[in-house]
PDB file of all heavy atoms in Angstrom:
ATOM      1  N   ILE A  61     -10.345  -7.475  -6.789  1.00 97.00           N
ATOM      2  CA  ILE A  61     -10.996  -7.477  -5.451  1.00 97.00           C
ATOM      3  C   ILE A  61     -12.443  -6.947  -5.535  1.00 97.00           C
ATOM      4  O   ILE A  61     -13.064  -6.616  -4.546  1.00 97.00           O
ATOM      5  CB  ILE A  61     -10.237  -6.629  -4.438  1.00 97.00           C
ATOM      6  CG1 ILE A  61      -9.979  -5.219  -4.871  1.00 97.00           C
ATOM      7  CG2 ILE A  61      -8.899  -7.337  -4.069  1.00 97.00           C
ATOM      8  CD1 ILE A  61      -9.299  -4.268  -3.831  1.00 97.00           C
ATOM      9  N   GLN A  65     -11.540  -2.888  -8.984  1.00 97.00           N
ATOM     10  CA  GLN A  65     -10.253  -2.528  -8.297  1.00 97.00           C
ATOM     11  C   GLN A  65      -9.385  -3.823  -8.138  1.00 97.00           C
ATOM     12  O   GLN A  65      -9.898  -4.869  -8.354  1.00 97.00           O
ATOM     13  CB  GLN A  65     -10.553  -1.909  -6.943  1.00 97.00           C
ATOM     14  CG  GLN A  65     -11.450  -0.675  -6.985  1.00 97.00           C
ATOM     15  CD  GLN A  65     -10.952   0.379  -7.927  1.00 97.00           C
ATOM     16  OE1 GLN A  65      -9.754   0.636  -7.969  1.00 97.00           O
ATOM     17  NE2 GLN A  65     -11.831   1.036  -8.700  1.00 97.00           N
ATOM     18  N   THR A  66      -8.166  -3.607  -7.778  1.00 97.00           N
ATOM     19  CA  THR A  66      -7.235  -4.716  -7.666  1.00 97.00           C
ATOM     20  C   THR A  66      -6.405  -4.647  -6.376  1.00 97.00           C
ATOM     21  O   THR A  66      -6.165  -3.548  -5.879  1.00 97.00           O
ATOM     22  CB  THR A  66      -6.241  -4.836  -8.809  1.00 97.00           C
ATOM     23  OG1 THR A  66      -5.562  -3.630  -8.951  1.00 97.00           O
ATOM     24  CG2 THR A  66      -6.896  -5.182 -10.126  1.00 97.00           C
ATOM     25  N   ILE A  67      -5.978  -5.759  -5.817  1.00 98.00           N
ATOM     26  CA  ILE A  67      -4.948  -5.821  -4.785  1.00 98.00           C
ATOM     27  C   ILE A  67      -3.632  -5.677  -5.561  1.00 98.00           C
ATOM     28  O   ILE A  67      -3.440  -6.304  -6.567  1.00 98.00           O
ATOM     29  CB  ILE A  67      -5.045  -7.155  -4.008  1.00 98.00           C
ATOM     30  CG1 ILE A  67      -4.002  -7.213  -2.838  1.00 98.00           C
ATOM     31  CG2 ILE A  67      -4.800  -8.372  -4.913  1.00 98.00           C
ATOM     32  CD1 ILE A  67      -4.188  -8.437  -1.964  1.00 98.00           C
ATOM     33  N   SER A  68      -2.742  -4.787  -5.089  1.00 97.00           N
ATOM     34  CA  SER A  68      -1.503  -4.548  -5.801  1.00 97.00           C
ATOM     35  C   SER A  68      -0.713  -5.758  -5.941  1.00 97.00           C
ATOM     36  O   SER A  68      -0.693  -6.673  -5.070  1.00 97.00           O
ATOM     37  CB  SER A  68      -0.765  -3.435  -5.091  1.00 97.00           C
ATOM     38  OG  SER A  68      -1.477  -2.274  -4.953  1.00 97.00           O
ATOM     39  N   GLU A  91      -1.925   6.106   3.871  1.00 98.00           N
ATOM     40  CA  GLU A  91      -2.090   5.424   2.558  1.00 98.00           C
ATOM     41  C   GLU A  91      -3.356   5.905   1.952  1.00 98.00           C
ATOM     42  O   GLU A  91      -4.413   5.952   2.555  1.00 98.00           O
ATOM     43  CB  GLU A  91      -2.222   3.900   2.761  1.00 98.00           C
ATOM     44  CG  GLU A  91      -2.404   3.171   1.471  1.00 98.00           C
ATOM     45  CD  GLU A  91      -2.918   1.732   1.569  1.00 98.00           C
ATOM     46  OE1 GLU A  91      -3.586   1.419   2.606  1.00 98.00           O
ATOM     47  OE2 GLU A  91      -2.674   0.913   0.687  1.00 98.00           O
ATOM     48  N   VAL A  92      -3.268   6.256   0.629  1.00 98.00           N
ATOM     49  CA  VAL A  92      -4.510   6.606  -0.113  1.00 98.00           C
ATOM     50  C   VAL A  92      -4.914   5.369  -0.973  1.00 98.00           C
ATOM     51  O   VAL A  92      -4.061   4.943  -1.804  1.00 98.00           O
ATOM     52  CB  VAL A  92      -4.203   7.803  -1.022  1.00 98.00           C
ATOM     53  CG1 VAL A  92      -5.464   8.154  -1.878  1.00 98.00           C
ATOM     54  CG2 VAL A  92      -3.796   9.042  -0.166  1.00 98.00           C
ATOM     55  N   GLY A  93      -6.079   4.843  -0.689  1.00 98.00           N
ATOM     56  CA  GLY A  93      -6.485   3.696  -1.451  1.00 98.00           C
ATOM     57  C   GLY A  93      -6.374   2.383  -0.724  1.00 98.00           C
ATOM     58  O   GLY A  93      -5.467   1.561  -1.031  1.00 98.00           O
ATOM     59  N   THR A  94      -7.170   2.159   0.371  1.00 98.00           N
ATOM     60  CA  THR A  94      -7.039   0.983   1.190  1.00 98.00           C
ATOM     61  C   THR A  94      -7.241  -0.306   0.390  1.00 98.00           C
ATOM     62  O   THR A  94      -6.566  -1.302   0.655  1.00 98.00           O
ATOM     63  CB  THR A  94      -8.109   1.035   2.299  1.00 98.00           C
ATOM     64  OG1 THR A  94      -8.191   2.297   2.857  1.00 98.00           O
ATOM     65  CG2 THR A  94      -7.823  -0.041   3.384  1.00 98.00           C
ATOM     66  N   GLY A  95      -8.242  -0.339  -0.516  1.00 98.00           N
ATOM     67  CA  GLY A  95      -8.485  -1.506  -1.336  1.00 98.00           C
ATOM     68  C   GLY A  95      -8.713  -2.720  -0.424  1.00 98.00           C
ATOM     69  O   GLY A  95      -9.568  -2.718   0.478  1.00 98.00           O
ATOM     70  N   SER A  96      -7.962  -3.772  -0.633  1.00 98.00           N
ATOM     71  CA  SER A  96      -8.088  -4.978   0.186  1.00 98.00           C
ATOM     72  C   SER A  96      -7.519  -4.818   1.610  1.00 98.00           C
ATOM     73  O   SER A  96      -7.902  -5.596   2.456  1.00 98.00           O
ATOM     74  CB  SER A  96      -7.302  -6.127  -0.504  1.00 98.00           C
ATOM     75  OG  SER A  96      -5.883  -5.800  -0.407  1.00 98.00           O
ATOM     76  N   GLY A  97      -6.672  -3.813   1.748  1.00 98.00           N
ATOM     77  CA  GLY A  97      -6.028  -3.616   3.080  1.00 98.00           C
ATOM     78  C   GLY A  97      -4.635  -4.227   3.147  1.00 98.00           C
ATOM     79  O   GLY A  97      -3.961  -4.111   4.149  1.00 98.00           O
ATOM     80  N   TYR A  98      -4.205  -4.927   2.044  1.00 98.00           N
ATOM     81  CA  TYR A  98      -2.923  -5.650   2.141  1.00 98.00           C
ATOM     82  C   TYR A  98      -1.694  -4.733   2.287  1.00 98.00           C
ATOM     83  O   TYR A  98      -0.869  -4.917   3.174  1.00 98.00           O
ATOM     84  CB  TYR A  98      -2.756  -6.515   0.865  1.00 98.00           C
ATOM     85  CG  TYR A  98      -1.487  -7.203   0.802  1.00 98.00           C
ATOM     86  CD1 TYR A  98      -1.168  -8.197   1.717  1.00 98.00           C
ATOM     87  CD2 TYR A  98      -0.529  -6.877  -0.167  1.00 98.00           C
ATOM     88  CE1 TYR A  98       0.057  -8.901   1.636  1.00 98.00           C
ATOM     89  CE2 TYR A  98       0.715  -7.580  -0.254  1.00 98.00           C
ATOM     90  CZ  TYR A  98       0.960  -8.564   0.724  1.00 98.00           C
ATOM     91  OH  TYR A  98       2.178  -9.244   0.599  1.00 98.00           O
ATOM     92  N   GLN A  99      -1.664  -3.597   1.490  1.00 98.00           N
ATOM     93  CA  GLN A  99      -0.546  -2.701   1.639  1.00 98.00           C
ATOM     94  C   GLN A  99      -0.472  -2.082   3.076  1.00 98.00           C
ATOM     95  O   GLN A  99       0.595  -1.968   3.693  1.00 98.00           O
ATOM     96  CB  GLN A  99      -0.645  -1.607   0.575  1.00 98.00           C
ATOM     97  CG  GLN A  99       0.374  -0.468   0.780  1.00 98.00           C
ATOM     98  CD  GLN A  99       1.804  -0.750   0.357  1.00 98.00           C
ATOM     99  OE1 GLN A  99       2.045  -0.851  -0.882  1.00 98.00           O
ATOM    100  NE2 GLN A  99       2.673  -0.862   1.286  1.00 98.00           N
ATOM    101  N   VAL A 113      -7.179   5.567   3.770  1.00 98.00           N
ATOM    102  CA  VAL A 113      -8.517   6.031   3.312  1.00 98.00           C
ATOM    103  C   VAL A 113      -8.950   5.340   2.025  1.00 98.00           C
ATOM    104  O   VAL A 113      -8.144   5.073   1.119  1.00 98.00           O
ATOM    105  CB  VAL A 113      -8.584   7.542   3.114  1.00 98.00           C
ATOM    106  CG1 VAL A 113      -8.192   8.278   4.408  1.00 98.00           C
ATOM    107  CG2 VAL A 113      -7.681   8.026   1.964  1.00 98.00           C
ATOM    108  N   GLU A 114     -10.229   5.019   1.893  1.00 98.00           N
ATOM    109  CA  GLU A 114     -10.747   4.362   0.719  1.00 98.00           C
ATOM    110  C   GLU A 114     -12.077   4.984   0.316  1.00 98.00           C
ATOM    111  O   GLU A 114     -12.896   5.341   1.186  1.00 98.00           O
ATOM    112  CB  GLU A 114     -10.977   2.833   1.076  1.00 98.00           C
ATOM    113  CG  GLU A 114     -11.676   2.040   0.015  1.00 98.00           C
ATOM    114  CD  GLU A 114     -11.096   2.044  -1.383  1.00 98.00           C
ATOM    115  OE1 GLU A 114      -9.871   1.699  -1.519  1.00 98.00           O
ATOM    116  OE2 GLU A 114     -11.834   2.407  -2.305  1.00 98.00           O
ATOM    117  N   ARG A 115     -12.282   5.179  -0.996  1.00 98.00           N
ATOM    118  CA  ARG A 115     -13.497   5.866  -1.476  1.00 98.00           C
ATOM    119  C   ARG A 115     -14.705   4.943  -1.683  1.00 98.00           C
ATOM    120  O   ARG A 115     -15.775   5.387  -1.853  1.00 98.00           O
ATOM    121  CB  ARG A 115     -13.256   6.674  -2.677  1.00 98.00           C
ATOM    122  CG  ARG A 115     -12.814   5.918  -3.941  1.00 98.00           C
ATOM    123  CD  ARG A 115     -12.501   6.823  -5.090  1.00 98.00           C
ATOM    124  NE  ARG A 115     -13.726   7.425  -5.632  1.00 98.00           N
ATOM    125  CZ  ARG A 115     -14.566   6.812  -6.474  1.00 98.00           C
ATOM    126  NH1 ARG A 115     -14.355   5.582  -6.829  1.00 98.00           N
ATOM    127  NH2 ARG A 115     -15.634   7.446  -6.881  1.00 98.00           N
ATOM    128  N   ILE A 116     -14.452   3.631  -1.766  1.00 98.00           N
ATOM    129  CA  ILE A 116     -15.493   2.639  -1.976  1.00 98.00           C
ATOM    130  C   ILE A 116     -15.908   1.913  -0.692  1.00 98.00           C
ATOM    131  O   ILE A 116     -15.087   1.107  -0.129  1.00 98.00           O
ATOM    132  CB  ILE A 116     -15.087   1.634  -3.075  1.00 98.00           C
ATOM    133  CG1 ILE A 116     -14.749   2.348  -4.398  1.00 98.00           C
ATOM    134  CG2 ILE A 116     -16.207   0.568  -3.299  1.00 98.00           C
ATOM    135  CD1 ILE A 116     -14.264   1.459  -5.559  1.00 98.00           C
ATOM    136  N   LEU A 119     -15.456  -1.972   0.046  1.00 98.00           N
ATOM    137  CA  LEU A 119     -14.076  -2.352   0.148  1.00 98.00           C
ATOM    138  C   LEU A 119     -13.492  -2.037   1.529  1.00 98.00           C
ATOM    139  O   LEU A 119     -12.830  -2.777   2.188  1.00 98.00           O
ATOM    140  CB  LEU A 119     -13.235  -1.732  -0.962  1.00 98.00           C
ATOM    141  CG  LEU A 119     -13.460  -2.270  -2.372  1.00 98.00           C
ATOM    142  CD1 LEU A 119     -12.508  -1.500  -3.381  1.00 98.00           C
ATOM    143  CD2 LEU A 119     -13.123  -3.767  -2.473  1.00 98.00           C
ATOM    144  N   SER A 140     -13.347   7.917   2.700  1.00 98.00           N
ATOM    145  CA  SER A 140     -13.327   9.344   2.186  1.00 98.00           C
ATOM    146  C   SER A 140     -12.453   9.412   0.928  1.00 98.00           C
ATOM    147  O   SER A 140     -11.829   8.417   0.539  1.00 98.00           O
ATOM    148  CB  SER A 140     -12.768  10.293   3.243  1.00 98.00           C
ATOM    149  OG  SER A 140     -11.414  10.056   3.424  1.00 98.00           O
ATOM    150  N   ASP A 141     -12.508  10.543   0.323  1.00 98.00           N
ATOM    151  CA  ASP A 141     -11.714  10.869  -0.882  1.00 98.00           C
ATOM    152  C   ASP A 141     -10.283  11.202  -0.503  1.00 98.00           C
ATOM    153  O   ASP A 141     -10.035  12.334   0.047  1.00 98.00           O
ATOM    154  CB  ASP A 141     -12.386  11.981  -1.645  1.00 98.00           C
ATOM    155  CG  ASP A 141     -11.631  12.313  -2.898  1.00 98.00           C
ATOM    156  OD1 ASP A 141     -10.462  11.846  -3.063  1.00 98.00           O
ATOM    157  OD2 ASP A 141     -12.159  13.140  -3.707  1.00 98.00           O
ATOM    158  N   GLY A 142      -9.350  10.313  -0.704  1.00 98.00           N
ATOM    159  CA  GLY A 142      -7.963  10.514  -0.280  1.00 98.00           C
ATOM    160  C   GLY A 142      -7.154  11.442  -1.180  1.00 98.00           C
ATOM    161  O   GLY A 142      -6.030  11.787  -0.911  1.00 98.00           O
ATOM    162  N   GLY A 143      -7.814  11.941  -2.244  1.00 97.00           N
ATOM    163  CA  GLY A 143      -7.157  12.880  -3.149  1.00 97.00           C
ATOM    164  C   GLY A 143      -6.865  14.187  -2.358  1.00 97.00           C
ATOM    165  O   GLY A 143      -5.974  14.952  -2.740  1.00 97.00           O
ATOM    166  N   THR A 158      -1.881   4.375  -3.572  1.00 98.00           N
ATOM    167  CA  THR A 158      -1.986   3.139  -4.365  1.00 98.00           C
ATOM    168  C   THR A 158      -2.937   3.312  -5.511  1.00 98.00           C
ATOM    169  O   THR A 158      -3.371   2.254  -6.099  1.00 98.00           O
ATOM    170  CB  THR A 158      -2.281   1.914  -3.509  1.00 98.00           C
ATOM    171  OG1 THR A 158      -3.567   2.023  -2.950  1.00 98.00           O
ATOM    172  CG2 THR A 158      -1.261   1.792  -2.366  1.00 98.00           C
ATOM    173  N   ALA A 159      -3.281   4.540  -5.838  1.00 98.00           N
ATOM    174  CA  ALA A 159      -4.091   4.799  -7.007  1.00 98.00           C
ATOM    175  C   ALA A 159      -3.445   5.989  -7.678  1.00 98.00           C
ATOM    176  O   ALA A 159      -2.750   6.870  -6.960  1.00 98.00           O
ATOM    177  CB  ALA A 159      -5.498   5.155  -6.595  1.00 98.00           C
ATOM    178  N   VAL A 213      -4.591   1.498 -10.807  1.00 95.00           N
ATOM    179  CA  VAL A 213      -5.929   2.015 -11.069  1.00 95.00           C
ATOM    180  C   VAL A 213      -5.879   3.508 -10.842  1.00 95.00           C
ATOM    181  O   VAL A 213      -5.036   4.032 -10.109  1.00 95.00           O
ATOM    182  CB  VAL A 213      -6.961   1.393 -10.204  1.00 95.00           C
ATOM    183  CG1 VAL A 213      -7.069  -0.111 -10.493  1.00 95.00           C
ATOM    184  CG2 VAL A 213      -6.755   1.602  -8.759  1.00 95.00           C
ATOM    185  N   PRO A 214      -6.791   4.266 -11.502  1.00 96.00           N
ATOM    186  CA  PRO A 214      -6.752   5.730 -11.355  1.00 96.00           C
ATOM    187  C   PRO A 214      -7.250   6.205 -10.034  1.00 96.00           C
ATOM    188  O   PRO A 214      -8.082   5.576  -9.419  1.00 96.00           O
ATOM    189  CB  PRO A 214      -7.706   6.170 -12.456  1.00 96.00           C
ATOM    190  CG  PRO A 214      -8.630   5.104 -12.817  1.00 96.00           C
ATOM    191  CD  PRO A 214      -7.794   3.830 -12.486  1.00 96.00           C
ATOM    192  N   LEU A 215      -6.733   7.289  -9.530  1.00 97.00           N
ATOM    193  CA  LEU A 215      -7.253   7.994  -8.395  1.00 97.00           C
ATOM    194  C   LEU A 215      -8.499   8.758  -8.849  1.00 97.00           C
ATOM    195  O   LEU A 215      -8.430   9.594  -9.778  1.00 97.00           O
ATOM    196  CB  LEU A 215      -6.214   9.027  -7.869  1.00 97.00           C
ATOM    197  CG  LEU A 215      -6.601   9.704  -6.526  1.00 97.00           C
ATOM    198  CD1 LEU A 215      -6.152   8.859  -5.351  1.00 97.00           C
ATOM    199  CD2 LEU A 215      -6.029  11.090  -6.450  1.00 97.00           C
ATOM    200  N   LEU A 216      -9.627   8.453  -8.249  1.00 97.00           N
ATOM    201  CA  LEU A 216     -10.893   9.056  -8.627  1.00 97.00           C
ATOM    202  C   LEU A 216     -11.336   9.976  -7.541  1.00 97.00           C
ATOM    203  O   LEU A 216     -10.991   9.820  -6.390  1.00 97.00           O
ATOM    204  CB  LEU A 216     -11.944   8.011  -8.916  1.00 97.00           C
ATOM    205  CG  LEU A 216     -11.578   6.974  -9.983  1.00 97.00           C
ATOM    206  CD1 LEU A 216     -12.673   5.882 -10.052  1.00 97.00           C
ATOM    207  CD2 LEU A 216     -11.397   7.647 -11.358  1.00 97.00           C
ATOM    208  N   SER A 217     -12.146  11.013  -7.882  1.00 95.00           N
ATOM    209  CA  SER A 217     -12.662  11.902  -6.789  1.00 95.00           C
ATOM    210  C   SER A 217     -13.999  11.561  -6.348  1.00 95.00           C
ATOM    211  O   SER A 217     -14.751  10.796  -7.012  1.00 95.00           O
ATOM    212  CB  SER A 217     -12.507  13.364  -7.244  1.00 95.00           C
ATOM    213  OG  SER A 217     -13.226  13.482  -8.461  1.00 95.00           O
TER     214      SER A 217
HETATM  215  N1  SAH B 301      -3.618  -0.691  -1.416  1.00 67.55           N
HETATM  216  C1  SAH B 301      -4.575  -1.535  -1.990  1.00 67.55           C
HETATM  217  C2  SAH B 301      -4.656  -1.332  -3.498  1.00 67.55           C
HETATM  218  C3  SAH B 301      -6.019  -1.165  -3.953  1.00 67.55           C
HETATM  219  S1  SAH B 301      -6.179  -0.502  -5.595  1.00 67.55           S
HETATM  220  C4  SAH B 301      -4.332  -3.027  -1.721  1.00 67.55           C
HETATM  221  O1  SAH B 301      -3.283  -3.335  -1.089  1.00 67.55           O
HETATM  222  O2  SAH B 301      -5.161  -3.827  -1.963  1.00 67.55           O
HETATM  223  C5  SAH B 301      -6.364   1.237  -5.231  1.00 67.55           C
HETATM  224  C6  SAH B 301      -7.559   1.640  -4.414  1.00 67.55           C
HETATM  225  O3  SAH B 301      -7.636   3.045  -4.389  1.00 67.55           O
HETATM  226  C7  SAH B 301      -8.896   1.153  -4.878  1.00 67.55           C
HETATM  227  O4  SAH B 301      -9.541   0.444  -3.856  1.00 67.55           O
HETATM  228  C8  SAH B 301      -9.641   2.446  -5.201  1.00 67.55           C
HETATM  229  O5  SAH B 301     -11.045   2.450  -4.872  1.00 67.55           O
HETATM  230  C9  SAH B 301      -8.942   3.420  -4.231  1.00 67.55           C
HETATM  231  N2  SAH B 301      -9.089   4.869  -4.643  1.00 67.55           N
HETATM  232  C10 SAH B 301      -9.040   5.426  -5.837  1.00 67.55           C
HETATM  233  N3  SAH B 301      -9.206   6.759  -5.745  1.00 67.55           N
HETATM  234  C11 SAH B 301      -9.305   7.006  -4.441  1.00 67.55           C
HETATM  235  C12 SAH B 301      -9.477   8.234  -3.688  1.00 67.55           C
HETATM  236  N4  SAH B 301      -9.614   9.449  -4.258  1.00 67.55           N
HETATM  237  N5  SAH B 301      -9.516   8.112  -2.354  1.00 67.55           N
HETATM  238  C13 SAH B 301      -9.412   6.950  -1.683  1.00 67.55           C
HETATM  239  N6  SAH B 301      -9.300   5.782  -2.377  1.00 67.55           N
HETATM  240  C14 SAH B 301      -9.199   5.805  -3.675  1.00 67.55           C
END
Side-chain angles (χ1 to χ4, degrees):
I61 54 173
Q65 305 304 320
T66 55
I67 182 172
S68 304
E91 179 196 27
V92 177
T94 316
S96 67
Y98 178 66
Q99 170 78 72
V113 302
E114 170 57 54
R115 63 181 289 279
I116 300 176
L119 287 180
S140 71
D141 178 350
T158 65
V213 296
L215 186 89
L216 302 174
S217 53

